[in-house]
Amino acid sequence: ARVVVLISGTGTLLQALLDAAADPGYGARVVAVGSDRPGVAGLDRADAAGVPTFVHPLGPGSDRAAWDAGLRDRVAVHRPDLVVSAGFMKLVGPAFLEAFGGRTINTHPALLPAFPGMHGPRDALAHGVKVAGATVFLVDAGVDTGVILDQAAVRVEDDDTVASLHERIKVAERDLLVTTTHRLATRSWQVVDRKVRWDP
Ligand code: GRF
């Protein structure tokens, strides 16, 4: 399966996918990496893996709908079977979802529906939860509201900071994303009543 990965930052989740895809048996190939920000480490990781990249910035004055349609077009040229948002910090809009909804997944460093948004680990820590984790879900028009594909839990330690908790979550998140992408790429599946049915 052809996978396009969207990033905004360090790209450790992207790196996990690149490493997994190096095994021909993985069943998915990262055919391109897109970022909304130039010069991020994730782009260097794609370069090092010989994967084509593009940067699609949302300028302060740029029109959101035009940016969304532009992102759709730049992803479409790579003919993806699956789009993986891995630390991509922008919401995709109607034009993108019309083209890739239902086959775009995102990963979030919290156990949705708890703690959606930009600061999952911080909000979980502030709330005093004892278990946190990561969620991989199908992107829909909302913010972290899509159908949940899988989740992984991690314990919160008493001396955790936001950074230490997020790093622990990211370790679980990497495996979750690699496993889920593999399953989506190699098995047939469908969504019924917000539940994913993996055909045998
Ligand atoms: C991940 O935890 C992702 O869920 C969150 O930001 C982090 C991205 O990490 N949105 P990286 O850029 O893949 O290292």
Side-chain angles (χ1 to χ4, degrees), residues 9-14 86-89 107-109 166 170 173:
T10 55
T12 60
L13 293 173
L14 164 67
F88 185 60
M89 290 302 186
T107 173
H108 180 72
H166 195 172
K170 283 173 75 171
E173 195 174 7

Side-chain angles (χ1 to χ4, degrees), residues 48-68:
V51 174
T53 63
F54 66 84
V55 177
H56 190 62
L58 178 61
S62 64
D63 170 84
R64 184 79 193 208
W67 176 84
D68 184 54

